[in-house]
Amino acid sequence: MQYTAIGETDVRLPSIVFGTTTFGNIFKVVPYEQKLAVLAEMVKEASGAVGIDSAGKYGAGLALECIGDGLRTLGVDAHDVVISNKLAWRRAPLTTPEPTFEPGAWFGLEHDAVLDISYDGILRCWEEGNELLGRGYVTQMVSVHDPDEYLAQANSPAEREQLFEDVLDAYRALAELKVAGKASAIGVGAKDWTSIQEITRHVDLDWVMFANSMTLYSHPAELLAFMDELQQKNVAIINSAVFNAGFLTGGEFFNYRKLDHNNVDDRAIFQWREKFFMLCEQFSVDPAHACYQFGQSHPAIVSMAISTSRPERVAPNIELIETALPDEFWSALKEEGLLDRGYHYVG
């Protein structure tokens, strides 16, 4: 595992960061003992400080609680962990049969969550995040979580402008935390990369996290140009969700939407995957291996975020990230039109 200094900060980011949505019981309840076993494998496989990415949204804070409790149980020193907390959601009382903040996604929760993006709101989220982590651990990397989704709520240009001011106010608060030495590095995580681009025009960031954006299926030229720009500015890029929400490895959902075989546009995506699987079989390549390798191929990407609920998958996933694939495989993808021939970082 390699470590990269983020900008002018004192954070050294590992080349693999472990996501923790499963610690918040996304899509199913995962027993605490299983989460602890996963965390133990993360710590074991890190060659230096273990990088952990979380958010108040993950299980309405449950993931952060599990991280803190687990690290204390394992006896991990605070200097041996780098924690990123994406801020936007705070805990709220659960008064309905299931949480209201993302129905159908989170299970076995005892709390709901509310959105709180503003100057004061993001400070409340930061304070709560450190409280949930508990004794001994703090968040070094902070960001506003999914500002693209927040902005998408707007019903008019004027309303969007006001929501964007909320986002900028939140970053003003994060900047003050950094100046005060209470946080080390400021970033942003979003599924819509254009929202990240918009924010960088107003805010000096140390790092960004793309989700569902820079994948083997989708890597538009405009995004690649933006990544080049970030690299020139010494802004670290973390790439995540490189399976397009599981679809590229056989799942039913593409970017969290279930596709329909009767839809013309959806059929084209299915056809792309069929060709992809055919070539993977021809070259004896695990589809996940191809996705991981492509997902880290651009030189601006310094870290990959991966997530699993199974402790036995931690080491094999790392091996997939660290083991290169032959040029012949990438050339075949280009010949089949599955990968732009002009993408010269592979093949």
Side-chain angles (χ1 to χ4, degrees), residues 110-347:
E110 297 179 358
H111 302 87
D112 207 339
V114 293
L115 196 60
D116 200 3
I117 296 179
S118 65
Y119 177 89
D120 292 326
I122 220 70
L123 292 177
R124 287 189 288 264
C125 293
W126 173 76
E127 290 170 355
E128 179 177 272
N130 286 329
E131 289 172 0
L132 291 170
L133 283 172
R135 174 179 48 82
Y137 304 101
V138 295
T139 301
Q140 297 101 317
M141 299 170 61
V142 293
S143 61
V144 177
H145 194 188
D146 290 336
D148 49 342
E149 295 181 1
Y150 183 68
L151 297 172
Q153 299 177 111
N155 294 312
S156 67
E159 185 177 357
R160 189 186 187 282
E161 184 176 344
Q162 180 55 59
L163 294 179
F164 191 69
E165 285 300 318
D166 292 342
V167 172
L168 295 183
D169 285 344
Y171 274 106
R172 182 163 56 86
L174 295 183
E176 291 177 6
L177 288 177
K178 182 179 176 181
V179 169
K182 296 180 179 180
S184 300
I186 299 173
V188 61
K191 300 178 183 70
D192 181 356
W193 67 268
T194 62
S195 68
I196 295 177
Q197 186 178 48
E198 183 179 9
I199 288 169
T200 60
R201 297 191 185 110
H202 301 268
V203 181
D204 291 329
L205 299 176
D206 301 306
W207 60 274
V208 304
M209 176 183 281
F210 295 129
N212 292 327
S213 297
M214 175 57 184
T215 73
L216 185 52
Y217 177 82
S218 175
H219 44 277
E222 298 84 359
L223 170 60
L224 299 179
F226 177 48
M227 292 168 66
D228 290 338
E229 179 185 326
L230 291 173
Q231 186 179 27
Q232 292 170 4
K233 293 179 178 179
N234 201 25
V235 177
I237 298 177
I238 304 169
N239 200 13
S240 68
V242 295
F243 303 151
N244 286 107
F247 185 81
L248 300 190
T249 54
E252 295 182 340
F253 290 81
F254 178 85
N255 293 354
Y256 311 105
R257 179 179 68 86
K258 190 170 184 179
L259 300 188
D260 181 359
H261 283 277
N262 296 317
N263 180 285
V264 174
D265 293 335
D266 288 357
R267 280 205 301 271
I269 303 176
F270 280 116
Q271 290 167 0
W272 187 98
R273 186 173 70 175
E274 289 170 6
K275 290 182 180 180
F276 173 55
F277 282 178
M278 179 187 68
L279 288 175
C280 285
E281 184 175 359
Q282 179 182 334
F283 286 86
S284 300
V285 170
D286 183 337
H289 194 175
C291 292
Y292 279 140
Q293 285 296 305
F294 182 85
Q296 65 178 340
S297 60
H298 192 288
I301 296 169
V302 302
S303 184
M304 290 282 291
I306 64 174
S307 182
T308 182
S309 63
R310 297 163 53 194
E312 69 274 14
R313 285 303 312 168
V314 174
N317 284 345
I318 293 174
E319 184 176 359
L320 293 180
I321 291 174
E322 296 182 340
T323 306
L325 289 171
D327 288 344
E328 292 78 10
F329 172 69
W330 300 114
S331 296
L333 287 178
K334 291 179 180 180
E335 289 172 7
E336 285 292 330
L338 302 182
L339 179 58
D340 188 337
R341 290 178 181 272
Y343 188 82
H344 57 274
Y345 298 117
V346 294

Side-chain angles (χ1 to χ4, degrees), residues 2-15:
Q2 305 297 314
Y3 288 79
T4 303
I6 299 182
E8 302 298 323
T9 76
D10 59 359
V11 175
R12 288 178 52 80
L13 186 68
S15 54

Side-chain angles (χ1 to χ4, degrees), residues 17-24 32 35-36 38-40 42-43 50-56 58 61-76 81-86 91 129-140:
V17 171
F18 297 103
T20 57
T21 53
T22 59
F23 286 22
Y32 175 75
K35 297 173 186 176
L36 184 62
V38 171
L39 186 60
M42 294 175 180
V43 173
V50 59
I52 300 176
D53 175 69
S54 197
Y58 297 168
L62 176 62
L64 290 165
E65 283 186 318
C66 290
I67 291 167
D69 290 344
L71 290 173
R72 280 187 292 275
T73 298
L74 296 172
V76 178
V81 60
V82 176
I83 300 175
S84 167
N85 186 12
K86 302 189 292 290
R91 272 189 170 175
N130 286 329
E131 289 172 0
L132 291 170
L133 283 172
R135 174 179 48 82
Y137 304 101
V138 295
T139 301
Q140 297 101 317

